[in-house]
């Protein structure tokens, strides 16, 4: 656990903990709801990877923007979308953040900078670059964050998106969540070079750093630097976060076969929440009771969110084709 | 005859042809050891290993373009898209290369390639996993497009695709995958451009596509109880399209409805309607009708999802309206 | 009124709106200092510099996806494809993202984006530089599609596109670029979904698209000498499509031909035919006819190229046949 | 001029010269024909870059395959397509290598391994990888060559194609023709990293070398190694050839504005044909008269080709829609 030069105060350190626990509990409840048939569509959870969304988004303003993936619940929550709005969306309810149009893979809350999660691998990188283009064009100091998995690294969108951001010096932070697998295809089989940060540096001349994605402080520090650089007009960065997903690719899918029990166990021992909890206590930022209190508070928030989702109405079928077009030609 | 599912029938075609033709290989995400997200290649990796069952990175454009080069040089690629929405990143390779190379080379290069994937709305898959897209490949010259509605057709049409020289889109509606039907154990080919008359009738003709076929057939059984005999035609392939069979039917019934889950504008229904107009105008006793899904991206929530596809009530009404015209 | 070319008219619209709206920027290959392969941005780089006239690497998918993100966050991108065939590598971004984001976000995110490029067959450009593709964007929900046939419409339709919230395909037939016409100096908008009746007549209605408009008009002037008065309609936009004007005309003439250079199957002619069938069947005195380019990749050699487009003789014959039906 | 370790005999060295001159003269005549209106469509010449096609293709067997670009006349000639078939194709004649269907950007001669030039930037890379896949699958020792320009390097096809070839160890030689411009867009504006060989090594772990693309012997040596590696099952290579095009992007286009007269002059002094001629004489492989004889022979071959093209018939319009489909479903 990185603990040199921690510039964060206890409140901020506990906020990171709070966010990670919030994501974890929400995901666990959504997984349960999925098993019970309350989530009608697919559900990709973020369990095990919470440190990344929490560590990155803690550095963002509300008017900064995030473009996310099929595994986007954690990004949505960390960007400030309420657990109610996320849960209701997965339940297919009118009160969901996408009014029931989207589900797990299409979460939208543009008012607070969540510009969408996506069922297609790749576009978040390009759209993230494009928001950076907007901000530079309009002389805003907003920044843009594009999350993507190791599965996107071999895709042309990675190559084209990073290159554009680099040559035009765009205020974008590319966050690679390398959890070693794309569904069941191992990253080591998808490319010979898994050091994504090195590729960003050598092929695109982009500032890039590789961090332990299960260490929320390491992620936070890398993101803080990257955000500051982008906001100051210093151009894009890439943060290559090595992590692991603790649950199957999607709820209801098998989890064995392609990865070993030992591997899963080894990563379980590196759980980002447990590690941060231990560090908080050790470093004197909190006592066990403080963490228990956070846990309790989160549990009631998430229970409320699930209950809200359950009780909310389904969208009115007559609205199914609304909003395809905006104003004008 | 034994009954097997749609997926099993298609897999049987692939298995048989892979045994016969060592130049066939499959690419896709999770089609190796995993056997495919929809079990399209289950058990084949163990037999044939990674060169013939090639798990890929997520590079749809890349592996489609790669397969074009392979097809041009003696191999016979099968691209398994899992969900056909992922095909869109490869449209450049498909529309500008794969569909054109036989033509541009004056027939000296062949392009034997199967492009398969699941289509259709269902299961709250939402808008990135619910597309169909077949009208696009009918519009552009150079593709064969197969749209089987049952296990028998699935096996026969895939076998033909795996033995011909052309790029074939083989599209599997996700709600049909587990449907069972009688399928011969031996290999057989079904011709492209030959529709199936699945039900004879005289009151009207319904051309139904993919998942609409079983839906329409069931409704027509109900309508028959009211004395309405509807003829039901499944074109089975959209390119080439068997207009002859449709025209013959319309000559008898004088009325035509095309029932298609995907979008109406510039769709298959429009094309069939225009062709029947051109060649069977005098046979028509009523305007040709189209029934399509709503012209909108596909929403997630079940209440919205149900609202964008033609359901039983809508199909029944469309047929009754047509007959009443 | 002064006469200017199609290209000048469209450039005037862009120039005017760029002056009014600092969030407009253009991307493309050679649209910066060079002013665009077709002079679409001539003189603008000197005024606005590289952030607003952005020369790009050859990354059609990349810059289209990039522009999606820009459009979602307050900018107003104009993507200049030069030749629209290059659009195909970006179909994933277009069909799965750009057309869907307003819908998926329940209207909370706008997608103001213009996608422009040259279409059409001519000049022995061969198969990678002769495509049109508009039926694809009419089939998929979420796009506006403008297909101007003259300078006046070009300026008005582009101005509307540059001031609305939606993704607009603005397609410029390469053989129309140098045609001249009267164009007001001030800015004006033309509505989408409003066809133009370019010639009144009673013998038959011809709906002509893009380069077919001047071709058809010229032929109809000839036919008028034989006493054949043909009504000619230019839909101007294909999405939305003004069926009302076409139906009104058919009510009068009873006969309809759709003349379109690009492919027939699942094309615009099919859609118009099907709609008129559905809503104007009783007005028809003859089957609706379609005239399209051959359903083939575009060959290079002038003798072959001429053989795949509907020429004067073919158009004349199609109109005479229709009237004689 | 690289002259250490030349393993080629005089005959081979003169053959390289012959091929370069053949390409140069054919291009010059085609450019003239274009000016005269005899080439109805676009025409991108290879003048100044002859050393690359000549140096690479001299290492290929007839059954090896080449995938080329919009600037493909040189590749076609070097792969063995006759000047007659190339010229007639550009004239739009039935006797052209694509029977008049293709023109400058769509040259096909699959019988001798020219699998097509392309009007679209990028696909040659992917198709080249795919032919390599075929050869490996079918246990053939053929190799595949993909030519592409600097303009393709930032494109997703480069990223996806090189990566696939690397992870699957395919017998492919990627030849980048970096002539510093894509139409009028400079390579230095298209990416911050113009060392394409380094990118191939670092991002894809591929054998790669940077060579002077105007030095036919350097290109030949690099290609010889790459072909040997591929044929022996050693996987793909990239050859990054730095070169310059001596004429406008396409015939009839302007050539000023985006590049300076000094730059053009400096490269003119590095003309690959003149350089090889000087070296051949200096190293004693030929005398001036030998080169003159080659020149004379080439001139008559090219004159014959142009005359053949001019005299050939246009294709029969009734064949315009032939060959769209092959046999079967
Ligand atoms: C273009 C595209 N191809 C295929 C898929 C199917 N798919 C969904 S998630 C996924 C794996 C993604 O892996 P990665 O990017 O590593 O993210 P992770 O799931 O590991 O978080 C795949 C192949 C898709 N969504 N988009
Ligand atoms: C996908 C695509 N986009 C744009 C074009 C238009 N275009 C033709 S050649 C060219 C420049 C190519 O540059 P490069 O690859 O460096 O090759 P060079 O012409 O320098 O040999 C461009 C942009 C194209 N053919 N394909
Ligand atoms: Mg992953
Ligand atoms: Mg170049």
């Amino acid at each position: 656990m990185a603990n040199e030069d921690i510039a964060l105060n206890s409140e901020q350190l506990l906020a990171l903990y709070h966010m990670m626990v919030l994501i974890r509990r929400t995901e666990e409840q959504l997984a349960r709801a999925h098993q019970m048939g309350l989530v009608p569509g697919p559900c990709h959870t973020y369990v095990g990877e919470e440190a990344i969304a929490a560590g990155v988004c803690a550095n963002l303003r509300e008017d900064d923007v995030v473009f996310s993936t099929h595994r986007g619940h954690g990004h949505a929550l960390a960007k400030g979308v309420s657990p109610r709005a996320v849960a209701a969306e997965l339940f297919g309810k009118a009160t969901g953040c996408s009014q029931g149009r989207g589900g797990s893979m299409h979460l939208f809350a543009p008012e607070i900078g969540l510009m969408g999660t996506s069922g297609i691998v790749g576009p978040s990188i390009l759209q993230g670059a494009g928001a950076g283009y907007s901000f530079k064009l309009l002389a805003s100091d907003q920044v843009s964050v594009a999350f993507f998995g190791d599965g996107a690294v071999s895709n042309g969108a990675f190559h084209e998106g990073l290159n554009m951001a680099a040559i035009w010096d765009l205020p974008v932070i590319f966050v690679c969540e390398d959890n070693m697998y794309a569904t069941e295809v191992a990253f080591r089989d998808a490319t010979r070079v898994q050091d994504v940060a090195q590729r960003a540096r050598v092929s695109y001349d982009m500032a890039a750093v590789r961090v332990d994605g299960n260490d929320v402080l390491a992620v936070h520090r890398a993101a803080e630097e990257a955000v500051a650089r982008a906001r100051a007009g210093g151009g894009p960065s890439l943060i290559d976060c090595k992590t692991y997903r603790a649950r199957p690719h999607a709820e209801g899918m098998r989890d064995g076969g392609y990865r070993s029990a030992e591997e899963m166990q080894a990563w379980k021992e590196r759980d980002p929440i447990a590690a941060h909890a231990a560090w908080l206590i050790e470093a004197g930022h909190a006592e066990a009771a403080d963490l228990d209190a956070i846990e309790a508070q989160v549990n009631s928030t998430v229970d409320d969110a699930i209950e809200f989702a359950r009780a909310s109405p389904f969208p009115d079928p007559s609205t199914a084709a609304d909003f395809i077009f905006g104003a004008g030609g | 005859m034994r009954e097997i599912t749609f997926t099993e029938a298609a897999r049987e075609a692939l298995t048989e042809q892979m045994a016969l033709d060592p130049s066939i290989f499959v690419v896709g995400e999770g089609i190796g050891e995993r056997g495919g997200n929809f079990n399209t290649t289950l058990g084949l990796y163990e037999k044939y290993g990674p060169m013939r069952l090639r798990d890929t990175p997520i590079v749809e454009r890349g592996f489609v373009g790669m397969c074009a080069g392979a097809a041009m040089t003696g191999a016979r690629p099968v691209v398994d898209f899992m969900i056909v929405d992922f095909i869109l990143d490869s449209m450049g390779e498909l529309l500008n290369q794969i569909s054109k190379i036989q033509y541009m080379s004056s027939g000296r290069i062949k392009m034997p390639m199967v492009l398969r994937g699941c289509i259709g709305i269902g299961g709250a898959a939402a808008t990135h996993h619910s597309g169909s897209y077949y009208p696009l490949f009918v519009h552009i010259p150079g593709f064969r497009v197969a749209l089987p509605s049952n296990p028998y057709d699935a096996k026969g049409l895939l076998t033909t695709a795996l033995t011909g020289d052309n790029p074939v889109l083989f599209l599997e509606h996700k709600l049909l995958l587990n449907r069972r039907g009688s399928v011969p154990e031996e290999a057989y080919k079904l011709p492209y451009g030959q529709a199936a008359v699945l039900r004879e009738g005289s009151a009207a003709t319904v051309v139904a596509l993919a998942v609409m076929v079983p839906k329409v057939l069931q409704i027509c059984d109900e309508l028959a109880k009211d004395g309405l005999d509807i003829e039901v035609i499944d074109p089975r392939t959209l390119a080439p399209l068997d207009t002859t069979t449709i025209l013959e039917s319309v000559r008898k019934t004088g009325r035509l409805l095309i029932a298609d889950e995907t979008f109406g504008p510039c769709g298959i229904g429009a094309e069939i309607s225009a062709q029947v107009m051109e060649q069977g105008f005098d046979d028509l006793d009523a305007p040709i009708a189209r029934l399509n899904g709503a012209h909108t991206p596909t929403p997630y929530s079940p209440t919205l999802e149900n609202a964008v596809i033609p359901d039983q009530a809508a199909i029944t009404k469309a047929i009754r309206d047509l007959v009443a015209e």
Side-chain angles (χ1 to χ4, degrees), chain A residues 11-62:
Chain A
E11 195 185 336
Q12 291 168 313
L13 292 164
L14 284 168
L16 290 175
Y17 182 76
H18 183 279
M19 181 52 71
M20 291 198 288
V21 175
L22 180 69
I23 296 171
R24 173 74 53 95
R25 292 293 163 266
T26 304
E27 292 291 36
E28 286 170 349
Q29 292 264 27
L30 287 171
R32 198 164 310 134
H34 190 272
Q35 284 153 21
M36 293 165 66
L38 296 169
V39 173
C43 178
H44 305 82
T45 77
Y46 198 63
V47 176
E49 312 187 21
E50 296 88 347
I52 304 173
V56 170
C57 294
N59 292 285
L60 301 180
R61 300 195 313 228
E62 191 170 282

Side-chain angles (χ1 to χ4, degrees), chain B residues 254-271:
Chain B
R255 287 160 205 275
L256 175 61
L257 168 75
I258 304 106
D260 180 7
E261 181 190 88
T262 196
F263 309 128
C266 297
I268 305 299
E271 180 59 25

Side-chain angles (χ1 to χ4, degrees), chain B residues 22-27 50-76 93 96-110 141-144 160-161 163-168 192 240:
Chain B
S23 75
I24 296 178
F25 71 102
V26 187
V27 303
M51 269 314 282
R52 297 191 65 194
L53 279 301
R54 177 54 76 188
D55 267 334
T56 65
I58 305 171
V59 293
E60 278 78 6
R61 178 184 175 194
F63 60 67
V64 169
M66 186 283 276
C67 284
M72 292 164 76
T73 50
R76 196 176 263 290
E93 307 311 315
N96 258 333
Q97 310 294 328
I98 290 167
S99 66
K100 290 176 173 172
I101 294 243
Q102 296 197 85
Y103 178 79
M104 294 309 289
S105 70
S106 303
R108 292 172 295 163
I109 301 178
K110 301 299 173 201
F143 293 107
R144 303 295 196 200
T160 306
T163 51
D165 285 342
N166 300 307
V168 180
Y192 278 47

Side-chain angles (χ1 to χ4, degrees), chain A residues 65 67 96-99 101-103 106 108-111 114-116 118-123 126-138 155-157 160-161 163-164 167-168 170 319-329:
Chain A
V65 297
F67 295 84
C97 62
S98 308
Q99 305 185 12
R101 284 184 149 62
H106 307 273
F108 286 90
E111 305 78 12
L114 183 74
M115 303 310 290
S118 167
I120 301 291
V121 169
L126 303 175
Q127 291 170 15
Y133 202 93
S134 261
F135 300 151
K136 184 163 177 176
L137 174 72
L138 304 172
N155 190 282
E160 298 188 0
N163 185 56
M164 286 188 291
I167 57 178
W168 300 329
L170 305 180
T319 65
D322 288 355
F323 299 119
I324 303 172
F325 290 106

Side-chain angles (χ1 to χ4, degrees), chain A residues 38 54 84 103 108 110 119 142 159 175 182 190 225 240 247 286 294:
Chain A
L38 296 169
R84 281 185 163 204
F108 286 90
Q142 288 160 277
H159 186 64
V175 182
E225 268 181 37
D240 176 12
R247 297 186 64 89
I294 288 174

Side-chain angles (χ1 to χ4, degrees), chain A residues 285-308:
Chain A
H285 292 287
E287 299 187 0
D290 300 324
L291 304 186
D292 290 348
I294 288 174
E295 181 93 15
Q297 193 198 327
V298 164
N299 282 343
S300 88
T301 303
V302 177
D303 286 347
D304 163 76
I306 297 291
E307 186 44 39
F308 172 81

